[in-house]
Amino acid sequence: MPPTGKRATIADVAAAAGVSRGTVSLALNGKGRMADTTRERIQQVAAELRYRPSLRGRRLRGGSSESVALMSALPDAVVGRESHLNFLLAIALPLSKVLLERGYSTLLLPPVTDPTDALANLDVDGAVVIDPMDNDHLCQELQERGVQLVTVGRADGVDAQGVIDRGYGGADLTLTHLAEQGAQRILVLQTAERYTVARATERYLQDQPDLVAPGGRTVHIPVTEGASGGYRATREALESASPPDAIYAPIDAFALGAVDAVHDAGLQIPDDVMICTNFDGPRAATSQPPLTALDLHLPELAESAGHLLLECLDAPGGPPRVVQAPAPTLRPRQSTARRLGKVTP
């Protein structure tokens, strides 16, 4: 028996069962030729001693880390903010639960500026990357390291093994809602970088050219500018000859900047300008007024990503696997309640 408080080793099991350590290993792994009674006795002794095989040794023998990474391609200026951190955590918990049931641990990683250096010592079997850019260097670096990759959103130049297709990313719901509320000059605040959320909105605008045009327009803002970029772009638009009467900002930092710009211009939300965003997180709910946003059903999305990654890990290779993301649900609030209907608290 091992000393009190000490974890039992394979040598302890072997000694208690009166067999060799090799026999214990074979018995517990269901291998080797031995009498059923011997195998059962060894398993019983191991259970009584509460023996657990060395996880590190098992990983070394199998050549697998049995861990995966969850990361966002968006920069620290966005991810480090409270709202996007809530976004990541809402995905991380259900994702890690799905993966843990199969023996994989989940690492939640911060944004990286140089993937080559940042990933040099990272040992993972798979990764889920949220909102990659076209030709995303982070995704390319992961794939060069032989990591099975699942992306949340489609990106050109990224040959992921699995893709969670988010369709229009909610742009169809938000822009249609603004039009139904009477908007005629919609200002769309996009990231200058081609992240998947920006590409999804772009595709919808191309498919529905009359929804925003001719009175509306799109402005591209570097994502690192955050709320200040949303503020600047909105003030410039409000001072133009054809000011917007509604604003759609998929990035909530842009939306909050737009709220401040409208207030500083002496205008009222939603009477003069309506505003909506994508992620229904704390920043949208606590804005003044609260912002119409989207319930992206992140737990369901995360579970889909987890199961998809497991499929890729179990059977690597072949054509990319594509799964549709759950359809978002519009949560109308005071920021677009020009024509009063059901408003979410």
Side-chain angles (χ1 to χ4, degrees):
M1 296 289 290
T4 302
K6 183 181 177 182
R7 179 176 175 177
T9 66
I10 193 170
D12 296 323
V13 177
V19 298
S20 69
R21 284 181 289 184
T23 302
V24 171
S25 179
L26 292 172
L28 297 182
N29 286 290
K31 298 179 180 179
R33 297 179 63 182
M34 66 185 71
D36 291 342
T37 54
T38 302
R39 190 184 304 275
E40 291 171 0
R41 179 164 54 86
I42 293 172
Q43 292 173 344
Q44 181 179 354
V45 170
E48 291 173 350
L49 295 180
R50 302 182 68 181
Y51 168 71
R52 296 291 183 272
S54 169
L55 181 61
R56 182 174 300 176
R58 187 178 73 193
R59 288 174 174 174
L60 288 173
R61 291 190 298 272
S64 168
S65 69
E66 296 183 358
S67 59
V68 302
L70 171 63
M71 52 206 340
S72 172
L74 291 167
D76 186 62
V78 175
V79 177
R81 305 292 182 179
E82 177 184 353
S83 182
H84 206 82
L85 183 58
N86 277 275
F87 179 89
L88 282 176
L89 290 176
I91 292 178
L93 186 59
L95 175 72
S96 63
K97 183 178 180 180
V98 169
L99 295 169
L100 188 60
E101 290 174 351
R102 286 283 304 278
Y104 287 91
S105 57
T106 303
L107 306 177
L108 178 57
L109 301 182
V112 299
T113 54
D114 186 344
T116 302
D117 290 339
L119 303 181
N121 297 316
L122 182 66
D123 183 16
V124 293
D125 300 322
V128 176
V129 177
I130 302 168
D131 283 331
M133 287 191 295
D134 287 351
N135 303 304
D136 195 283
H137 295 308
L138 172 62
C139 294
Q140 292 172 353
E141 183 67 24
L142 287 167
Q143 291 182 290
E144 288 177 3
R145 295 175 180 275
V147 174
Q148 292 294 304
L149 177 64
V150 167
T151 63
V152 179
R154 290 180 177 273
D156 289 341
V158 175
D159 298 323
Q161 284 72 45
V163 176
I164 303 294
D165 188 349
R166 297 177 67 185
Y168 291 130
D172 49 341
L173 291 178
T174 51
L175 290 171
T176 299
H177 172 69
L178 290 175
E180 290 174 345
Q181 295 297 96
Q184 297 181 345
R185 300 180 304 280
I186 301 176
L187 171 66
V188 179
L189 300 181
Q190 286 271 61
T191 59
E193 303 82 2
R194 288 177 60 82
Y195 292 101
T196 58
V197 64
R199 295 183 71 250
T201 302
E202 182 180 283
R203 285 197 302 272
Y204 184 67
L205 293 175
Q206 291 173 346
D207 291 344
Q208 301 290 334
D210 296 333
L211 191 62
V212 174
R217 57 175 168 153
T218 299
V219 175
H220 295 88
I221 306 168
V223 70
T224 53
E225 292 188 12
S228 64
Y231 182 94
R232 172 185 54 79
T234 302
R235 283 304 298 263
E236 291 175 357
L238 292 173
E239 294 168 0
S240 68
S242 180
D245 59 2
I247 297 172
Y248 171 45
I251 301 294
D252 60 0
F254 291 173
L256 293 186
V259 169
D260 290 340
V262 172
H263 286 158
D264 289 352
L267 300 174
Q268 299 296 315
I269 304 172
D271 295 340
D272 299 311
V273 183
M274 296 181 288
I275 301 177
C276 61
T277 188
N278 271 15
F279 176 46
D280 184 26
R283 298 174 83 175
T286 60
S287 172
Q288 295 300 321
L291 298 179
T292 291
L294 297 173
D295 180 351
L296 300 173
H297 302 293
L298 295 181
E300 293 88 345
L301 185 150
E303 290 175 3
S304 295
H307 290 300
L308 181 58
L309 182 56
L310 288 173
E311 289 182 19
C312 296
L313 290 166
D314 289 342
R321 299 170 170 87
V322 180
V323 174
Q324 295 298 314
T329 302
L330 186 76
R331 296 181 66 84
R333 293 196 175 94
Q334 295 175 19
S335 67
T336 61
R338 185 178 292 174
R339 296 178 179 176
L340 293 178
K342 183 177 180 181
V343 175
T344 302

